[in-house]
Amino acid sequence: MEKKLEFGGVGWMIGISALILFACSSLRHELFQSLAWDLGIFDQAVYLISQGKPPISSFIGFHILGDHAAWILYPLALLYKIYPSVYWLFAVQAIALALGALPTWYLAHQAGLKDSQALAMAVVYLLYPLIFNVNLFDFHPEVMAVPALLGAVLAARCGKIWCFCASILLILGCKAVLSLTVAAMGIWLLVFEKRRLYGAIAIISGITWFAIATKAIIPFFGTEAASVERHIGRYSYLGKSFSEIPQNFLNQPGIIFGNLFSSENLGYLILLLTPVIWGFSLQGVTPLVSAIPSLAINLLADYQPQKELLHQYSLPVLPFLLLAVINTLAAGRGWLQNKRTIILWSLVAFLSLTKFTYFTGKYLKNLDNWQATREAIALVTTQGTVLTTDELAPHLSHRQFIYLINRDTLPANFSTFDYILINTRQPGLSISQELAISLVKELQNQPKIKLKYQRDEVYLFTKN
């Protein structure tokens, strides 16, 4: 009876958390704080799939499968067939992130933790700062891999092979690089958990999908130049191509160690571990074998967003951090054992490391001409080509062609666009305010362009 009541409590926590996460991401979007990279990219791709068109995102210039081989976007497009709305992505993300508390709770019970400790672990998951912060950073398919990774471990321990295989399939469909996490998880299951069949399935499927995705799907649907620019560029000190990096690994190990043992990486590890450091011990660290690929990718990167708790890059690490804590508690170790103190520590970490304060400061910067921006967007009534800025693009991405105003490469002929939308008061990340103002002046003097709307420094131009 007590366990049923606890399960009901976990269910309520998941439901309330999902609603809060959905409300926060939706409000951020309504306040014009979401971005073309990455919300606009995924929203446009899913919309095009739902319309039966090739999901070639005009933001990145190639087929969406050429980015991360994330085929999970295809079933997501079924939701857009009901009604095309970016809020489906926010809902899926919020539910997926909140749902991870359920397998966490089950795994804690399975490990022999007390009911109060199992409930505390569900709270630890929901209050881990990365969960809230990632939810605010647009949308990323790998959020669905978090409950799936925990579910895969639970299925392996329960001997449910079909549930395990379904979880692995879902994980691999979210992002190609997650295949490395799946393979590493397989090694952990095989060596430390003694789940030989499950370990073998994970290792084989992870390695196979990584080879298929990187050698066939991504090169076929994308371009090597785009892959280098978007991904290899973060490891430019190691080489300029996929083939050059392994050679430098072997020939110049000093470069690697010099970047690996840095103050930035130390700070990143402190951020990652602080919310759960109370629950670490040598007896419990074996699940972190599964986190090695993601940790290595983040530590070796020369890209600050991969070394903080604001973006999606650390998501594959989180399930195994929690498993390490559960192992520690099951062994009767850890600094904290009491439910109340565990939850208190998690709450302090949440308040210290999450960006909920953005809603009282940073996210309110567009309020002074928010209404004007809404009115201008409402006047974009056709599926014509749009040129706009980073923050406005996700509100207009349900079309085949939409482009960003870029400070480095302005279009030679503006009359090729059906709509040009600029907020000169808050131009966003892609251009400066000075460039936005000069661009508006240039457009006003072009005979083939007419000003359709102007209010509070928001300008909508259309083809004459």
Side-chain angles (χ1 to χ4, degrees):
M1 183 66 179
E2 185 177 349
K3 189 171 181 178
K4 287 183 179 179
L5 289 173
E6 187 186 341
F7 176 80
V10 172
W12 276 107
M13 285 195 303
I14 292 171
I16 293 170
S17 296
L19 287 175
I20 292 173
L21 292 174
F22 176 71
C24 288
S25 58
S26 299
L27 179 59
R28 176 180 181 266
H29 182 65
E30 284 298 315
L31 292 172
F32 298 108
Q33 296 301 313
S34 53
L35 303 172
W37 295 62
D38 296 326
L39 181 60
I41 293 173
F42 290 117
D43 183 46
Q44 183 187 29
V46 175
Y47 171 77
L48 291 174
I49 293 169
S50 73
Q51 300 300 305
K53 298 177 181 178
I56 299 173
S57 172
S58 56
F59 295 114
I60 57 178
F62 52 86
H63 197 288
I64 195 65
L65 288 179
D67 190 23
H68 293 295
W71 55 260
I72 197 69
L73 298 176
Y74 280 83
L76 281 182
L78 296 174
L79 297 172
Y80 276 52
K81 281 193 170 292
I82 299 172
Y83 182 76
S85 173
V86 70
Y87 294 98
W88 284 118
L89 299 184
F90 295 146
V92 168
Q93 180 162 267
I95 293 170
L97 288 171
L99 200 58
L102 187 60
T104 300
W105 178 74
Y106 273 117
L107 285 162
H109 267 294
Q110 189 185 62
L113 269 60
K114 300 175 184 177
D115 290 345
S116 59
Q117 290 177 320
L119 185 63
M121 283 306 305
V123 176
V124 169
Y125 170 86
L126 292 171
L127 290 181
Y128 191 86
L130 187 62
I131 296 296
F132 185 85
N133 290 341
V134 166
N135 181 70
L136 291 183
F137 182 49
D138 295 344
F139 168 84
H140 297 89
E142 54 262 50
V143 297
M144 292 176 279
V146 176
L149 284 165
L150 290 163
V153 175
L154 181 62
R157 288 179 172 177
C158 292
K160 296 182 178 180
I161 191 167
W162 292 113
C163 291
F164 178 79
C165 292
S167 298
I168 295 299
L169 186 64
L170 174 60
I171 297 163
L172 296 178
C174 293
K175 195 174 185 178
V177 73
L178 291 174
S179 56
L180 299 178
T181 299
V182 169
M185 182 177 68
I187 295 172
W188 169 63
L189 289 171
L190 181 68
V191 176
F192 296 98
E193 292 284 300
K194 308 303 180 184
R195 310 278 177 177
R196 295 179 180 177
L197 176 59
Y198 296 89
I201 291 173
I203 293 170
I204 293 171
S205 60
I207 293 174
T208 302
W209 180 247
F210 183 78
I212 293 172
T214 57
K215 298 298 182 182
I217 296 176
I218 292 175
F220 180 79
F221 288 101
T223 64
E224 184 177 355
S227 295
V228 169
E229 182 180 351
R230 291 203 66 196
H231 309 298
I232 300 298
R234 301 173 185 179
Y235 308 89
S236 56
Y237 69 94
L238 293 175
K240 298 180 180 180
S241 67
F242 288 106
S243 58
E244 191 175 334
I245 288 178
Q247 295 176 11
N248 287 335
F249 257 97
L250 297 174
N251 299 330
Q252 303 181 55
I255 298 177
I256 299 166
F257 289 112
N259 283 271
L260 191 61
F261 298 105
S262 65
S263 59
E264 290 84 0
N265 283 342
L266 177 60
Y268 168 59
L269 292 175
I270 291 172
L271 284 174
L272 199 64
L273 295 176
T274 295
V276 292
I277 192 64
W278 54 267
F280 265 70
S281 69
L282 289 176
Q283 290 85 351
V285 297
T286 58
L288 294 182
V289 170
S290 309
I292 289 175
S294 291
L295 281 174
I297 288 170
N298 293 338
L299 292 172
L300 289 171
D302 187 17
Y303 184 57
Q304 186 57 38
Q306 288 183 236
K307 303 178 189 294
E308 55 192 30
L309 297 186
L310 302 180
H311 301 86
Q312 73 277 13
Y313 304 106
S314 296
L315 278 176
V317 179
L318 177 57
F320 305 105
L321 286 176
L322 296 171
L323 286 167
V325 173
I326 289 172
N327 281 0
T328 296
L329 291 177
R333 296 182 178 273
W335 303 348
L336 307 178
Q337 298 282 332
N338 180 268
K339 179 181 77 170
R340 184 172 299 179
T341 55
I342 291 172
I343 293 175
L344 180 60
W345 182 290
S346 297
L347 183 60
V348 171
F350 178 88
L351 295 174
S352 302
L353 298 175
T354 55
K355 300 304 178 182
F356 65 91
T357 54
Y358 281 1
F359 287 102
T360 60
K362 178 180 177 180
Y363 287 170
L364 303 181
K365 65 181 183 180
N366 289 339
L367 280 183
D368 53 353
N369 61 359
W370 180 87
Q371 186 60 42
T373 307
R374 297 299 305 172
E375 290 173 0
I377 289 173
L379 294 174
V380 181
T381 56
T382 73
Q383 292 292 304
T385 304
V386 170
L387 177 68
T388 188
T389 53
D390 207 17
E391 283 83 354
L392 302 182
H395 296 264
L396 295 165
S397 48
H398 287 183
R399 64 193 65 247
Q400 195 161 7
F401 300 107
I402 177 170
Y403 300 95
L404 296 181
I405 301 171
N406 189 293
R407 62 172 61 90
D408 299 321
T409 54
L410 291 176
N413 184 6
F414 288 102
S415 63
T416 59
F417 302 99
D418 296 291
Y419 301 95
I420 303 172
L421 178 60
I422 306 173
N423 180 353
T424 59
R425 188 179 298 175
Q426 300 289 346
L429 299 176
S430 55
I431 58 172
S432 65
Q433 188 174 35
E434 293 75 17
L435 180 57
I437 292 172
S438 65
L439 184 56
V440 166
K441 291 179 180 178
E442 181 180 349
L443 290 169
Q444 288 174 328
N445 294 323
Q446 294 210 8
K448 294 183 180 180
I449 301 293
K450 68 176 180 179
L451 180 63
K452 185 177 180 66
Y453 178 89
Q454 175 185 354
R455 178 185 167 190
D456 295 338
E457 299 176 61
V458 176
Y459 300 85
L460 176 65
F461 296 90
T462 59
K463 187 185 298 184
N464 193 350

